[in-house]
């Protein structure tokens, strides 16, 4: 990928704070570029008196950072020589005390000696330009930084380690080989020579289609694991929805009142259960609205339900008839939706709720077709009773989404769109083969497919795309 170095000049040496902004015990200041070690050597003195430029790569040295007039800090300098670094160029990292004054003074020294401030994501951008990472791996670095659960961390780590890069590059190489053979045929068109075996070509297109379709299908799973599973808490007013949200969060997040219709807007909070992020959404009670504001709340509730992966439907047997709940299930059922019915307020009639559940479960099975799968649990949101059963049900559902570590997952919308475009181009090639179109017409769509596959890994790209991708990174990465 070194041929991409002409996209952006990397001749200068950049510097930035690599750790979070603010006061801390330690701060790390990173320099990268051909003059990184030379610049560091001018402002850093090792305790043993040796110069950094004389030290081997991947070594750490204690010393002092100082200007021409005074010592700034005693710190550690870690050096990476040649291409044996994250960015693929000489790198120095100063591990200093976390004072904002010290950080500013050190960066000021680096700037005075010839560095410039790094742009957002420029260290990772250089890693890509210098062939250390494919573009989709570089994008995964940003996902890894913001991952806030075990699942999102694992998905980002998988992508950073390669993900489906090897798979895409292999298919692209095979496709490129056939493109070359077809274009070679064009040079011998008058002699009617066929270099590309059409039957092998059809088999390759089928393989590529299968792979792309599998990756496209994985996007819905990858998006859930990356951003969290949306769980809408729904039901009639005063069913206990806000009480349940507070109980799950173990804090008074939502207003709880005996007055029906207290919740007028949606309240959303994230909770990690079993390493998975769940985005719980407390919604307005679903009923015939009594005023315009409540009507807006009910409409928002329905919108959240349409986007949810799980619906928690709370009901009180004294306020909900079985026919109402059955109608709700039929109206909102989707194949990609998990519906959990929660018989709330069991603390009020503990002696009878068990029989009530059994009877209602039988009623559901009799009234609904087998594909309308639901789960029925008895809970008390107020007393936190049986909430462990609910969390077990949630994690069990999440585990059905988790794929093995070796499975490729698409989590990035840019990759998803590129795969869709590539698939459309491949399908056009298949249609062209079926119609026995000439090689020059097939080559047009083949080149289109190659472009979109190459845009994922960065085999083809441009300044605008790179600028957009890396602008979302933090400065020090």
């Amino acid at each position: 990928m070194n041929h991409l170095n002409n996209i952006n000049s990397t001749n200068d040496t950049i510097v930035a704070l690599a750790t979070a902004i603010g006061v801390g015990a330690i701060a790390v200041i990173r320099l990268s570029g051909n003059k990184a070690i030379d610049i560091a050597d001018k402002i850093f003195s090792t305790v043993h008196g040796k110069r950094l430029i004389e030290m081997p790569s991947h070594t750490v040295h204690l010393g002092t950072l100082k200007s021409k007039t005074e010592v700034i800090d005693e710190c550690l300098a870690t050096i990476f020589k040649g291409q044996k670094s994250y960015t693929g160029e000489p790198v120095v990292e100063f591990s200093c005390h976390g004072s904002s004054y010290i950080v500013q003074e050190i960066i000021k020294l680096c700037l005075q000696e010839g560095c410039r401030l790094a742009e957002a994501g420029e260290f990772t951008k250089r890693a890509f330009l210098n062939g250390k990472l494919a573009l989709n791996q570089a994008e995964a670095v940003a996902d890894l930084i913001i991952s806030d659960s075990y699942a999102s961390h694992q998905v980002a780590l998988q992508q950073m380690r390669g993900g489906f890069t090897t798979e895409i590059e292999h298919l692209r190489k095979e496709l490129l080989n056939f493109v070359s053979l077809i274009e070679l045929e064009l040079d011998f068109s008058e002699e009617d020579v066929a270099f590309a075996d059409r039957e092998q070509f059809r088999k390759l297109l089928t393989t590529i289609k299968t792979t792309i379709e599998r990756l496209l299908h994985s996007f819905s799973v990858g998006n859930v694991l990356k951003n969290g599973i949306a769980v809408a808490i729904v039901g009639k007013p005063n069913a206990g929805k806000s009480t349940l949200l507070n109980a799950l969060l173990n804090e008074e997040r939502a207003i709880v009142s005996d007055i029906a219709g207290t919740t007028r807007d949606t309240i959303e909070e994230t909770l990690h259960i079993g390493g998975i992020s769940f985005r719980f959404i407390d919604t307005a009670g679903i009923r015939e609205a009594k005023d315009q504001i409540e009507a807006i709340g009910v409409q928002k509730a329905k919108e959240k339900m349409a986007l949810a992966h799980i619906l928690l439907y709370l009901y009180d047997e004294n306020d909900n008839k079985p026919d109402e709940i059955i109608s709700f299930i039929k109206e909102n059922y989707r194949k990609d939706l998990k519906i959990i019915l929660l018989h709330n307020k069991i603390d009020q009639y503990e002696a009878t709720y068990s029989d009530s559940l059994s009877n209602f479960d039988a009623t559901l099975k009799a009234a609904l077709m087998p594909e309308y799968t639901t789960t029925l649990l008895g809970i008390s949101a107020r007393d936190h009773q049986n909430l462990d059963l609910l969390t077990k049900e949630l994690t069990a559902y999440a585990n059905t989404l988790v794929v093995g570590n070796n499975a490729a997952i698409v989590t990035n919308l840019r990759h998803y769109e590129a795969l869709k475009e590539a698939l459309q181009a491949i399908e056009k090639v298949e249609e062209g083969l079926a119609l026995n179109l000439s090689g020059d017409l097939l080559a047009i769509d083949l080149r289109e497919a190659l472009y979109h596959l190459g845009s994922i890994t960065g085999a083809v790209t441009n300044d605008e795309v790179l600028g957009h991708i890396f602008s979302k990174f933090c400065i020090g990465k």
Side-chain angles (χ1 to χ4, degrees):
M1 248 179 277
N2 289 326
H3 65 283
L4 293 168
N5 279 314
N6 60 350
I7 292 177
N8 188 43
S9 174
T10 56
N11 294 326
D12 48 359
T13 299
I14 56 176
V15 62
L17 175 66
T19 46
I21 296 174
V23 178
I26 296 293
V28 175
I29 297 169
R30 177 181 291 157
L31 293 77
S32 182
N34 292 330
K35 297 180 179 179
I37 298 176
D38 291 328
I39 290 173
D41 195 48
K42 293 178 181 178
I43 61 177
F44 183 82
S45 300
T46 63
V47 293
H48 45 63
K50 295 182 179 179
R51 300 182 62 187
L52 290 180
I53 56 175
E54 299 171 352
M55 298 296 102
S57 181
H58 292 69
T59 54
V60 184
H61 307 275
L62 175 65
T64 54
L65 272 163
K66 54 186 179 181
S67 66
K68 295 178 180 179
T69 58
E70 61 180 344
V71 171
I72 304 299
D73 194 21
E74 183 177 80
C75 65
L76 296 174
T78 307
I79 59 174
F80 304 88
K81 292 191 171 182
Q83 297 181 336
K84 299 177 181 180
S85 70
Y86 175 72
T87 60
E89 57 192 18
V91 168
V92 176
E93 291 183 350
F94 291 125
S95 300
C96 61
H97 293 95
S99 155
S100 58
Y101 171 78
I102 290 174
V103 169
Q104 290 172 11
E105 289 301 305
I106 295 173
I107 291 178
K108 188 188 298 182
L109 279 177
C110 294
L111 295 176
Q112 289 172 353
E113 295 298 334
C115 284
R116 71 163 171 81
L117 289 174
E119 298 174 357
E122 191 169 0
F123 293 100
T124 304
K125 184 178 181 180
R126 290 190 175 200
F128 162 66
L129 293 174
N130 290 323
K132 304 292 287 188
L133 295 171
L135 186 56
N136 56 310
Q137 289 176 288
E139 290 171 285
V141 172
D143 290 337
L144 187 65
I145 292 171
I146 65 173
S147 62
D148 61 356
S149 69
Y150 176 79
S152 60
H153 167 265
Q154 289 297 104
V155 169
L157 194 61
Q158 180 200 63
Q159 298 296 330
M160 196 178 74
R161 289 175 173 173
F164 53 88
T165 303
T166 303
E167 201 168 11
I168 291 293
E169 288 181 342
H170 173 72
L171 292 177
R172 191 172 182 274
K173 183 178 179 181
E174 292 289 318
L175 195 59
L176 187 59
N177 180 53
F178 270 95
V179 172
S180 301
L181 291 175
I182 286 175
E183 292 187 343
L184 186 61
E185 290 176 0
L186 300 179
D187 295 334
F188 294 87
S189 57
E190 294 181 0
E191 301 177 28
D192 195 26
V193 178
F195 292 101
D197 186 303
R198 293 306 193 261
E199 188 55 38
Q200 285 187 350
F201 190 32
R202 286 187 180 90
K203 290 180 180 179
L204 175 62
L205 292 175
T206 300
T207 300
I208 293 174
K209 265 188 68 175
T210 301
T211 302
I212 292 176
E213 286 170 347
R214 172 170 52 81
L215 291 172
L216 287 171
H217 179 71
S218 75
F219 179 70
S220 59
V221 175
N223 201 39
V224 165
L225 297 179
K226 177 181 174 181
N227 299 314
I229 298 173
V231 184
I233 306 174
V234 298
K236 283 187 172 183
N238 269 5
K241 300 182 295 299
S242 297
T243 303
L244 176 61
L245 177 65
N246 290 341
L248 290 168
L249 298 174
N250 202 28
E251 64 173 282
E252 296 300 314
R253 175 65 180 85
I255 297 172
V256 175
S257 169
D258 291 332
I259 302 172
T262 303
T263 303
R264 296 296 187 96
D265 201 353
T266 58
I267 299 174
E268 186 169 337
E269 288 290 339
T270 299
L271 183 64
H272 302 308
I273 304 173
I276 305 289
S277 292
F278 291 88
R279 293 184 289 110
F280 289 96
I281 308 159
D282 181 21
T283 64
I286 298 175
R287 66 174 180 182
E288 194 70 32
K290 295 187 176 181
D291 57 59
Q292 186 177 1
I293 295 177
E294 186 177 8
I296 295 172
V298 172
Q299 180 59 36
K300 282 190 175 183
K302 291 179 178 180
E303 290 172 359
K304 293 295 183 181
M305 286 165 53
L307 298 174
H309 305 102
I310 301 175
L311 285 186
L312 301 183
Y313 185 88
L314 270 73
Y315 72 92
D316 179 352
E317 68 176 23
N318 292 326
D319 193 34
N320 291 82
K321 296 177 182 179
D323 288 348
E324 291 177 323
I325 301 174
I326 291 169
S327 296
F328 174 85
I329 295 171
K330 288 182 177 180
E331 183 181 343
N332 295 282
Y333 177 78
R334 305 191 313 263
K335 287 185 178 180
D336 61 343
L337 178 68
K338 170 76 172 177
I339 298 178
I340 302 178
L341 302 177
L342 298 177
H343 182 306
N344 194 21
K345 306 178 183 179
I346 62 173
D347 54 299
Q348 296 179 9
Y349 29 80
E350 289 190 18
T352 61
Y353 96 86
S354 173
D355 292 337
S356 177
L357 281 182
S358 298
N359 293 335
F360 186 50
D361 191 39
T363 302
L364 286 175
K365 289 178 180 177
L368 298 173
M369 297 176 68
E371 63 265 24
Y372 288 91
T373 55
T374 58
T375 301
L376 183 60
L377 298 174
I379 67 165
S380 171
R382 186 182 67 180
D383 292 350
H384 296 205
Q385 191 172 340
N386 286 352
L387 293 190
D388 59 325
L389 299 180
L390 174 57
T391 55
K392 285 180 182 178
E393 193 66 35
L394 293 172
T395 52
Y397 171 79
N399 287 333
T400 64
L401 300 177
V402 177
V403 296
N405 289 332
N406 294 323
I409 302 178
V410 177
T411 62
N412 187 299
L413 181 60
R414 188 184 72 83
H415 304 163
Y416 177 77
E417 294 296 336
L419 287 168
K420 274 176 47 178
E421 295 288 344
L423 181 61
Q424 290 175 9
I426 292 296
E427 288 173 341
K428 287 181 181 178
V429 176
E430 283 188 321
E431 292 171 5
L433 277 175
L435 295 172
N436 201 28
L437 294 182
S438 61
D440 56 337
L441 295 177
L442 295 176
I444 294 172
D445 291 320
L446 285 171
R447 286 289 178 187
E448 186 75 10
L450 284 169
Y451 171 81
H452 291 297
L453 290 175
S455 70
I456 294 173
T457 60
V460 292
T461 190
N462 57 56
D463 279 334
E464 185 178 357
V465 172
L466 290 182
H468 175 71
I469 290 171
F470 291 104
S471 66
K472 295 182 286 186
F473 280 62
C474 54
I475 296 293
K477 195 63 181 174

